[in-house]
Amino acid sequence: MRQIKPAYDKWEEKNRETKKTSQMIQQSNLETEQAKQVLNQRTAEYESAQKEKGRVVELKSFIQKISREKEKYLKRDENAKSLIQLEKDLKNSQLQKANLEKQEEELQADIQKLEQRIRDLADTPVSLEKAQHESMAVGKLCQSISQLYEEQIPSFQMALKKHELAALQFEKARAAYESAKEDTLRAQKEQDAAQTAFENSMAGILAQELQEGQKCPVCGSVHHPQPAKLTAQDVTKDMVDALKARTADFKAEEEKKEAQKNEQLEAASQANTAMQSIRNTLVLSIHNCLEDPWLEMNAVREDLDALLEALHQAYEKAESLRSAKQKECSHLEQQNKILQKSRKDLEAALTERSKALQDQKEKLTLQMQNLEKEQAQLAGEQNSFADLSYDDWPSAQAVCKKAEQEADELEKRMESAGRSKEEAQKNFSAKESQTITLQKQLEIQTNEAQALEKQYSEILQNSPFADTAQMLSYAVNEAVIQQGEKEIQAYHTAVISNRDQLKNAQKQAEGKTMQDLDALQKEYEASEQIVNAAQEMLHGIKERIAGNLDKRQKMAAQEEDYEQSRKQHAMAERLYNLTVGKTGNGKIHLEQYIQAAGFDSIIHNANRRLRPMSDGQFELLRQQGSVSKKSDNFLDLEVLDRNTGKTRPVGTLSGGESFKASLSLALGLSDTIATNMGGIQMDALFVDEGFGTLDKKSIESAMEILLKLSDSNKLVGIISHREELKENIPQQIRITKDKNGSHIEIETEG
């Protein structure tokens, strides 16, 4: 039964092949007819192309003729180019000739310019020598000033430091001497007290034996109204002697400290003398520099600071002069180089350049003659090429190339027509052969289909099916049959496996008890509730984590803005703290800070006045580091005593020293206002008394400063009774008093 369906399938397959072959024969017949038509067309085209052979022969003959004339064309073209080049060369030669004539004119103009420049710069060497001499003189002045800065000023500063150090050491020795002196006085007092106590003790012992009416062994009196009494503490003679020895030791130490003080005083005096000597030498050297005629400066100054300031100005002026002289020398050196070069250029123009131009002119004349001769020769040769058909070789070559292209196209056309005819013939033959082959194949397939039909009919007759349609309704293919057999085999295998598993389960269940499924179910439900609660908790934690992550992202997005705001806040807070005066442990308000800054400027200007008035001894300072939470002393003054190197409160100054400090502060205030207040001037100053506490030298220093102020268009009024001032003040207002009242008398100079 399984053979009928395959037999039917083979018969049907062969029928389909036979039908397909019939269709292929029909298609092949159609293609054969088309190939025949193409063959006829290609044959006609080939015969037409063969008629162009004569034209090809004619074209090749023309090409050979042009090729033979190529040398003549090339020679004529070469001569034509040569004639054009000769014409250009002749024109260039004429231009060169005109250029040489122009160069001769320019040479004459250059010679005249060089001669004029040499005349203009004739005095340059003398001026250069003078400028170099002046530059050397200014350089020596700069060197002298530099030597002051490099040697004498540092030497003076070192001597000044030695003097200050010696003064400091003297002050220490003096303080040690004062301390030793106090120790001696204290020991002497203790010794005297002990001596008195010892003597009182001796009197008390004698007084113990005294009786009224009996004579005193010391004074002989028989009455004893106040007898000496014994002290609470007995003082022995050994104790008195010990105190005497101690006092002697302190006295010896005092004498030693006094000797050290005197020694340091001598050293300080020597250091002061050496410093003054170096200072005088420095002042003299500065005067010598300032009196140099190049500076044109007033050197009449005594104050060293003023001299140093003038020296600094002199140095800047000297450096400026030296720079100017160096620039002048450089300029004159450049002019001198131009002069020397102009002389060399003039010599070259009169000799080398003139000769070179003459040689070029002669060479150019000969060259032009040769060019004219060559031009005539080439013109004669060109006349022999008049029989050529074309104007030049490119034109003839273009016509020849066109003929070659036409001949080549004709030959290619003939060759292509031959190949097309041959290919059409081959294609037609192939199509005929293909049709014959397909017809033979169809005959074989038809016979095979008849045999397969006969075989299927015999199998169908022996089968239980009435016809082919009934057979097809029951028939299935081999794949379906094989799949069914596999499923049956799998079922039998599963039955055997389940039987074995059941036996194994029964064997494993032997000796075991049954479990309570309800209890297990309850336990499962309780565990499930725990799991659900844990899952809900986990879900809540995850939600919080997600929320926190979202918040963190938002915070991170705002972090840059926060950081910028934090910096701005820190800056504003710092500015606020500075404004309200929060400076470390102390506190100073902004207005106090501004007052202190302005006060520093006043002190600086005041010290410019105080130093000369005190011979450089005193300098005012504002207390530093004195700002605290409980004090408001940021404007307190101190004074630096350069003789001792120590600072002390201004309250320790004497009356005369206080007057100098007060006068200096008043002048410093005037200078500060004039400097900082846009030109506001304090043109009047009145000094009421104060000179009575000054010595003669201090009065002279103060008067010198006040006179300088009056010389600078300032009004200085002095109220005083000192005769020294009356002698030195040229304009005075005298006030006298008598019984009729007070009288004013004005005296002016002269």
Side-chain angles (χ1 to χ4, degrees):
M1 294 302 296
R2 297 180 64 177
Q3 296 177 354
I4 186 169
K5 182 65 168 59
Y8 175 78
D9 290 339
K10 289 181 181 180
W11 175 49
E12 282 296 319
E13 178 66 24
K14 186 58 68 176
N15 286 334
R16 286 193 294 273
E17 290 179 358
T18 303
K19 186 176 180 181
K20 183 178 180 181
T21 303
S22 298
Q23 293 174 352
M24 292 174 64
I25 291 173
Q26 292 177 1
Q27 180 65 28
S28 179
N29 289 331
L30 179 61
E31 292 176 354
T32 301
E33 184 62 27
Q34 291 176 350
K36 184 177 180 181
Q37 293 176 1
V38 170
L39 176 60
N40 294 333
Q41 182 180 357
R42 296 292 182 269
T43 302
E45 291 176 354
Y46 174 74
E47 292 174 354
S48 175
Q50 290 297 319
K51 295 178 181 180
E52 299 292 338
K53 284 185 177 181
R55 177 61 180 167
V56 171
V57 172
E58 180 183 351
L59 290 172
K60 288 185 176 181
S61 175
F62 173 76
I63 292 169
Q64 290 177 357
K65 176 179 178 296
I66 296 298
S67 299
R68 287 193 298 269
E69 294 176 346
K70 178 180 179 180
E71 294 298 329
K72 291 183 178 180
Y73 279 108
L74 292 177
K75 183 63 176 176
R76 188 180 69 177
D77 292 348
E78 182 180 356
N79 288 347
K81 291 179 180 179
S82 299
L83 286 171
I84 294 172
Q85 185 62 41
L86 286 172
E87 185 67 24
K88 290 181 180 179
D89 292 343
L90 283 171
K91 290 182 179 179
N92 288 335
S93 299
Q94 292 172 356
L95 292 175
Q96 290 178 10
K97 183 178 180 181
N99 188 30
L100 288 176
E101 293 174 351
K102 184 178 180 181
Q103 288 182 19
E104 286 183 340
E105 295 176 358
E106 291 176 351
L107 177 60
Q108 294 299 322
D110 290 343
I111 291 173
Q112 293 177 2
K113 288 180 181 179
L114 290 171
E115 290 175 345
Q116 182 62 40
R117 186 181 299 165
I118 291 171
R119 287 192 297 270
D120 294 339
L121 299 176
D123 297 334
T124 300
V126 177
S127 300
L128 175 60
E129 184 178 359
K130 179 183 177 183
Q132 289 174 342
H133 177 72
E134 292 175 350
S135 178
M136 289 177 61
V138 176
K140 288 181 180 179
L141 174 59
C142 292
Q143 186 176 2
S144 299
I145 298 176
S146 298
Q147 188 176 5
L148 287 176
Y149 279 108
E150 294 172 0
E151 298 178 3
Q152 292 188 354
I153 292 178
S155 177
F156 168 70
Q157 291 173 345
M158 185 177 295
L160 182 60
K161 288 181 180 179
K162 288 181 179 179
H163 170 254
E164 292 174 352
L165 179 60
L168 180 62
Q169 291 175 348
F170 164 69
E171 181 62 25
K172 291 181 179 179
R174 186 187 63 77
Y177 165 68
E178 293 293 338
S179 177
K181 187 176 180 181
E182 290 177 0
D183 292 340
T184 303
L185 291 173
R186 200 162 40 248
Q188 185 67 46
K189 288 180 181 180
E190 292 177 1
Q191 176 190 335
D192 294 342
Q195 182 69 34
T196 302
F198 174 70
E199 291 175 355
N200 289 337
S201 297
M202 293 295 294
I205 294 171
L206 292 173
Q208 287 179 348
E209 303 295 332
L210 291 178
Q211 294 181 2
E212 188 66 26
Q214 292 181 357
K215 291 183 179 181
C216 176
V218 178
C219 65
S221 176
V222 295
H223 297 289
H224 315 293
Q226 293 180 347
K229 297 179 180 181
L230 288 173
T231 59
Q233 182 179 4
D234 293 336
V235 178
T236 65
K237 187 176 185 303
D238 292 337
M239 293 173 65
V240 174
D241 292 340
L243 288 172
K244 287 181 178 180
R246 180 169 172 261
T247 302
D249 292 340
F250 277 121
K251 186 65 176 176
E253 183 66 19
E254 178 187 351
E255 292 173 353
K256 179 181 178 182
K257 295 297 183 183
E258 184 177 13
Q260 291 177 353
K261 182 198 72 170
N262 294 333
E263 182 181 350
Q264 292 299 331
L265 179 60
E266 180 64 24
S269 177
Q270 291 178 359
N272 184 44
T273 302
M275 184 269 293
Q276 291 295 337
S277 176
I278 295 175
R279 181 182 183 279
N280 294 334
T281 303
L282 176 61
V283 169
L284 180 60
S285 299
I286 293 175
H287 275 287
N288 291 336
C289 290
L290 295 179
E291 291 171 357
D292 192 284
W294 282 104
L295 296 176
E296 298 180 354
M297 295 180 66
N298 181 16
V300 182
R301 294 178 178 88
E302 292 298 334
D303 181 47
L304 182 58
D305 290 339
L307 285 172
L308 289 175
E309 184 177 356
L311 182 65
H312 179 69
Q313 297 174 358
Y315 182 71
E316 292 181 347
K317 186 173 183 180
E319 284 292 337
S320 177
L321 284 171
R322 180 167 67 174
S323 177
K325 289 300 178 183
Q326 288 176 349
K327 289 181 180 179
E328 183 181 0
C329 288
S330 176
H331 174 71
L332 290 173
E333 287 174 356
Q334 189 67 25
Q335 294 294 319
N336 191 44
K337 290 180 180 179
I338 294 173
L339 174 62
Q340 301 301 326
K341 184 177 183 302
S342 299
R343 289 173 176 172
K344 291 181 180 179
D345 292 345
L346 178 61
E347 183 179 356
L350 294 173
T351 56
E352 297 175 3
R353 290 177 61 184
S354 298
K355 185 176 183 303
L357 284 175
Q358 185 63 32
D359 293 343
Q360 290 178 10
K361 285 180 66 177
E362 293 177 357
K363 183 178 180 181
L364 184 61
T365 301
L366 180 61
Q367 180 180 347
M368 291 178 66
Q369 292 175 355
N370 293 332
L371 289 174
E372 291 172 352
K373 181 178 179 181
E374 186 176 357
Q375 185 181 34
Q377 183 178 355
L378 289 176
E381 289 182 2
Q382 287 296 87
N383 294 329
S384 62
F385 300 128
D387 59 339
L388 293 177
S389 303
Y390 299 96
D391 296 335
D392 51 27
W393 169 244
S395 300
Q397 189 178 20
V399 175
C400 182
K401 188 172 292 185
K402 187 175 180 181
E404 289 177 349
Q405 290 176 353
E406 184 180 356
D408 187 48
E409 288 175 359
L410 290 173
E411 288 180 343
K412 287 181 180 179
R413 180 181 171 190
M414 293 168 62
E415 184 179 356
S416 176
R419 285 197 305 270
S420 298
K421 177 186 175 183
E422 185 178 354
E423 289 175 358
Q425 182 66 46
K426 289 180 180 180
N427 186 37
F428 175 71
S429 299
K431 295 298 180 181
E432 281 186 334
S433 299
Q434 180 180 356
T435 302
I436 294 170
T437 301
L438 288 173
Q439 288 175 350
K440 291 180 180 180
Q441 184 178 352
L442 178 61
E443 184 178 353
I444 294 170
Q445 289 175 349
T446 301
N447 294 330
E448 289 178 350
Q450 292 174 355
L452 289 173
E453 182 182 8
K454 182 179 179 181
Q455 183 180 0
Y456 167 68
S457 298
E458 292 176 354
I459 295 173
L460 181 62
Q461 289 177 0
N462 296 326
S463 69
F465 302 110
D467 53 21
T468 301
Q470 186 182 9
M471 183 273 298
L472 290 175
S473 64
Y474 288 98
V476 294
N477 57 32
E478 187 66 21
V480 175
I481 295 172
Q482 291 178 359
Q483 180 64 30
E485 290 177 348
K486 287 181 180 180
E487 291 177 356
I488 294 170
Q489 184 64 31
Y491 171 76
H492 289 298
T493 303
V495 170
I496 295 170
S497 175
N498 291 333
R499 188 181 296 117
D500 292 338
Q501 289 178 5
L502 179 60
K503 289 180 180 180
N504 290 332
Q506 290 173 349
K507 187 176 181 180
Q508 291 175 359
E510 291 178 357
K512 296 182 179 179
T513 59
M514 296 291 291
Q515 296 292 328
D516 188 357
L517 293 179
D518 293 336
L520 291 175
Q521 181 66 28
K522 291 179 180 178
E523 183 179 354
Y524 165 74
E525 291 175 355
S527 300
E528 188 176 16
Q529 290 178 357
I530 295 172
V531 171
N532 291 335
Q535 287 179 347
E536 290 179 359
M537 185 182 296
L538 176 62
H539 180 69
I541 292 172
K542 287 182 177 179
E543 286 183 350
R544 289 199 301 272
I545 291 174
N548 292 335
L549 288 174
D550 183 57
K551 292 177 181 178
R552 186 173 71 176
Q553 290 177 355
K554 291 180 180 179
M555 290 171 64
Q558 296 179 357
E559 184 176 2
E560 184 176 355
D561 294 339
Y562 165 74
E563 184 64 22
Q564 185 175 2
S565 299
R566 187 188 64 78
K567 290 180 179 179
Q568 292 176 353
H569 174 267
M571 183 185 297
E573 184 179 21
R574 182 171 179 271
L575 180 60
Y576 170 76
N577 290 335
L578 290 174
T579 304
V580 300
K582 292 182 180 179
T583 55
N585 295 326
K587 183 173 182 180
I588 178 171
H589 295 290
L590 178 62
E591 60 269 20
Q592 293 174 338
Y593 171 77
I594 295 173
Q595 289 174 3
F599 194 35
D600 288 340
S601 177
I602 294 172
I603 292 172
H604 173 73
N605 290 321
N607 284 327
R608 292 176 51 243
R609 311 290 189 177
L610 181 58
R611 278 191 290 265
M613 277 197 288
S614 63
D615 287 334
Q617 180 180 359
F618 295 120
E619 182 177 344
L620 294 175
L621 301 173
R622 184 173 65 84
Q623 287 189 8
Q624 299 293 328
S626 62
V627 178
S628 64
K629 295 181 179 179
K630 297 181 180 180
S631 63
D632 194 15
N633 54 354
F634 61 94
L635 296 181
D636 286 357
L637 278 175
E638 293 178 331
V639 62
L640 172 63
D641 190 341
R642 292 194 176 277
N643 289 342
T644 63
K646 293 184 176 181
T647 59
R648 51 193 171 97
V650 291
T652 61
L653 292 173
S654 65
E657 293 169 346
S658 298
F659 173 74
K660 295 177 184 177
S662 300
L663 179 60
S664 299
L665 284 171
L667 297 175
L669 176 62
S670 173
D671 293 340
T672 303
I673 291 175
T675 303
N676 299 333
M677 299 301 289
I680 295 177
Q681 300 290 333
M682 296 181 68
D683 297 328
L685 175 67
F686 292 92
V687 182
D688 188 2
E689 293 297 349
F691 293 95
T693 58
L694 301 181
D695 56 18
K696 184 176 180 181
K697 184 176 181 182
S698 298
I699 290 176
E700 292 176 355
S701 300
M703 285 300 300
E704 182 180 355
I705 292 176
L706 294 174
L707 288 173
K708 287 182 179 179
L709 288 174
S710 65
D711 291 340
S712 59
N713 296 325
K714 287 184 181 291
L715 174 63
V716 180
I718 300 174
I719 304 172
S720 179
H721 298 85
R722 295 289 295 264
E723 294 297 330
E724 297 93 333
L725 297 176
K726 296 179 181 179
E727 297 173 358
N728 295 324
I729 298 176
Q731 297 180 351
Q732 301 180 10
I733 300 176
R734 294 180 179 270
I735 299 177
T736 58
K737 186 177 182 182
D738 55 21
K739 61 181 180 179
N740 295 323
S742 298
H743 303 279
I744 297 176
E745 181 182 358
I746 300 176
E747 292 185 3
T748 57
E749 191 175 20

